[in-house]
Amino acid sequence: MGLFGNEEKHHQEVREDTKEKAKQLAPAAVATHLAFAVGGFLLAKVVKSLGGRSVGGGKRHPGAYLFTLRFNFATVDDRDNWFKKFKILAEYVAENEPTTLAYEAATSEDDPLEVLVYERYVDKDALKDIHEKSMEYLRMKDEIKSEGIEYANIVTQAYYEQDLGFMETKF
């Protein structure tokens, strides 16, 4: 005799109870797994439709060329107007520049007028010969100048990836 008197009978009852609960929960479990699978698929489609090309990629680009710009706007209005133009350019880049791996703008946590632009290319030529010569890029530069959008303290940096970590993750 075990702790419960008749251990075999107790284990049998537990197994039967577990099987019954599993039968009751099975449709919900299947539905949950299906919802996660469909949700993940749809999320990947949405991200891709918005220009994201790294969904599930995990793809390496040894020696990728990184270019960053950091600058400050004179006013929040200037920043917001610049963001509108950047969004249009970013959509163009996502659709028309397959050698551009990342193209993003971020605001500083400490200063809402400071912006960092992060650009990632398969190589330096993708920046110099494709991106910087595109009509959409040149149009944005002209519009910023003609509309008097003011920014200053421009700091640029260029880097080559060392292929030691990761830039994209699979999900």
Side-chain angles (χ1 to χ4, degrees):
M1 288 269 163
L3 183 63
F4 297 103
N6 185 344
E7 265 186 38
E8 184 55 40
K9 183 179 178 192
H10 173 72
H11 289 297
Q12 182 62 31
E13 289 171 358
V14 169
R15 281 192 294 272
E16 287 175 17
D17 187 49
T18 302
K19 285 180 187 177
E20 186 58 37
K21 286 180 181 173
K23 284 180 189 175
Q24 293 170 357
L25 295 175
V30 170
T32 300
H33 287 292
L34 184 59
F36 277 114
V38 171
F41 173 78
L42 293 175
L43 177 62
K45 289 287 191 188
V46 168
V47 171
K48 187 172 183 178
S49 74
L50 295 174
R53 287 177 278 183
S54 64
V55 176
K59 206 168 166 187
R60 294 232 183 247
H61 298 280
Y65 186 73
L66 306 179
F67 187 72
T68 62
L69 298 95
R70 190 187 62 199
F71 47 90
N72 296 82
F73 287 96
T75 67
V76 171
D77 285 342
D78 280 345
R79 184 204 63 198
D80 291 347
N81 287 333
W82 183 89
F83 275 146
K84 288 176 189 172
K85 295 181 182 323
F86 181 86
K87 184 178 188 301
I88 293 167
L89 179 58
E91 289 170 354
Y92 169 85
V93 168
E95 291 296 318
N96 298 285
E97 295 182 19
T99 55
T100 302
L101 304 172
Y103 198 71
E104 184 62 77
T107 52
S108 167
E109 179 179 22
D110 300 321
D111 180 358
L113 296 177
E114 183 178 305
V115 170
L116 173 74
V117 177
Y118 177 89
E119 303 175 26
R120 184 174 180 241
Y121 300 92
V122 295
D123 57 29
K124 187 176 183 177
D125 292 340
L127 168 65
K128 299 296 182 187
D129 296 337
I130 298 171
H131 178 67
E132 289 182 349
K133 292 181 180 178
S134 73
M135 292 304 295
E136 200 63 41
Y137 172 80
L138 296 172
R139 181 185 352 253
M140 180 181 169
K141 281 182 67 171
D142 288 345
E143 287 177 0
I144 289 168
K145 187 175 183 180
S146 69
E147 292 177 24
I149 296 174
E150 294 183 43
Y151 55 92
N153 303 324
I154 301 169
V155 176
T156 62
Q157 294 284 299
Y159 306 87
Y160 290 98
E161 283 183 13
Q162 298 303 302
D163 200 31
L164 301 172
F166 67 93
M167 292 297 296
E168 305 165 354
T169 58
K170 296 179 184 179
F171 58 95

